[in-house]
């Protein structure tokens, strides 16, 4: 009798777990891309690393549902953190990619210097960045190196639930409400 009861309880727990997994697999998001000039990677504290990117492009490309538009790079400071990202570093000797989780970011007043406090990751388990996450190295292998150019592929949050209104930025909410409309996303830049 206890065997049948135990099996039944186990099946219920399994079904509830699978339901949660199915909902999590549909987590919506969109791709933001940014390129820049020279970058430097240094070891930070608490397992974090700091990437300093000089002269980032003044516009970030936002791609959602095959529609691409642009926002000002200065609006990245309003993004909901943390952000999963793929970083592409290039120098005359090498080109390499790393998977990171951006825990904090800041941009200078004149938008000519972007500083990212990141946690190096060994793998990416999302969907938005899958095509960029091939053949990556751990960021710790690139400590203290300088690169001529840098690219960032960012997995941004989309369609944030209404009960999180105090934890999201106006920009994220605006872009999430656009549902891929390029003109609407462009207007978000003016709104914020």
């Amino acid at each position: 009798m206890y065997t049948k009861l135990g099996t039944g309880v186990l099946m219920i727990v399994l079904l509830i777990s699978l339901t949660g997994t199915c909902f999590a697999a549909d987590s919506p998001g969109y791709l933001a891309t940014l390129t820049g000039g020279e970058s430097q990677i240094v070891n930070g504290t608490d397992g974090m690393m700091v990437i300093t990117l000089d002269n980032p492009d003044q516009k970030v490309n936002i791609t959602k549902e095959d529609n691409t538009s642009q926002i000002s790079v200065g609006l990245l400071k309003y993004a909901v953190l943390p952000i999963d990202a793929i970083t592409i570093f290039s120098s005359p000797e090498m080109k390499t990619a790393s998977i990171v989780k951006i825990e904090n970011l800041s941009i200078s007043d004149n938008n000519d210097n972007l500083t990212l406090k990141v946690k190096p990751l060994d793998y990416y388990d999302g969907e938005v960045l899958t095509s960029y996450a091939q053949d990556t190295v751990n960021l710790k292998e690139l400590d203290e190196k300088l690169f001529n150019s840098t690219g960032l592929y960012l997995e941004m949050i989309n369609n944030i639930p209404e009960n999180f209104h105090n934890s999201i930025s106006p920009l994220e909410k605006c872009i999430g409400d656009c549902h891929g409309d390029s003109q609407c996303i462009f207007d978000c830049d003016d709104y914020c």
Side-chain angles (χ1 to χ4, degrees):
M1 177 165 171
Y2 289 113
T3 306
K4 290 181 183 180
L5 180 61
T7 303
V9 169
L10 180 63
M11 293 301 288
I12 290 172
V13 169
L14 181 62
L15 287 173
I16 291 171
S17 299
L18 288 175
T19 304
T21 303
C22 292
F23 287 128
D26 291 334
S27 61
Y30 57 92
L31 176 67
T33 59
L34 174 67
T35 58
E38 293 182 351
S39 63
Q40 181 176 11
I41 304 166
V42 294
N43 209 355
T45 58
D46 300 328
M48 301 296 251
M49 299 190 77
V50 178
I51 301 171
T52 305
L53 175 61
D54 294 332
N55 300 315
D57 287 346
Q58 294 302 300
K59 296 290 182 182
V60 177
N61 292 313
I62 304 290
T63 303
K64 181 180 176 191
E65 299 172 4
D66 298 327
N67 294 316
T68 301
S69 58
Q70 295 182 325
I71 61 169
S72 170
V73 70
L75 294 175
L76 278 179
K77 62 186 169 192
Y78 300 112
V80 176
L81 298 171
I83 300 171
D84 285 339
I86 305 292
T87 55
I88 309 291
F89 301 104
S90 298
S91 70
E93 304 85 37
M94 68 187 322
K95 181 176 182 179
T96 187
S98 293
I99 305 167
V100 298
K101 183 175 290 292
I102 300 172
E103 299 286 342
N104 195 358
L105 64 84
S106 61
I107 190 157
S108 62
D109 291 336
N110 51 0
N111 296 340
D112 65 351
N113 188 284
L114 177 64
T115 304
L116 307 170
K117 187 174 181 182
V118 303
K119 178 186 284 185
L121 300 176
D122 290 322
Y123 63 91
Y124 171 73
D125 60 358
E127 294 178 21
V128 174
L129 303 173
T130 301
S131 61
Y132 305 102
Q134 309 302 318
D135 301 321
T136 59
V137 299
N138 191 296
L139 189 65
K140 291 179 183 180
E141 295 178 32
L142 305 175
D143 187 20
E144 301 294 329
K145 293 195 177 181
L146 295 171
F147 295 94
N148 294 0
S149 64
T150 306
L152 295 173
Y153 296 91
L154 311 164
E155 179 179 34
M156 308 299 281
I157 296 171
N158 186 21
N159 292 340
I160 292 96
E162 293 298 320
N163 61 346
F164 286 100
H165 63 86
N166 291 333
S167 65
I168 65 167
S169 71
L171 174 65
E172 291 291 328
K173 175 130 176 59
C174 183
I175 291 174
D177 291 342
C178 286
H179 303 290
D181 179 11
S182 298
Q183 183 58 45
C184 178
I185 293 173
F186 181 75
D187 292 341
C188 287
D189 192 4
D190 295 335
Y191 171 75
C192 295

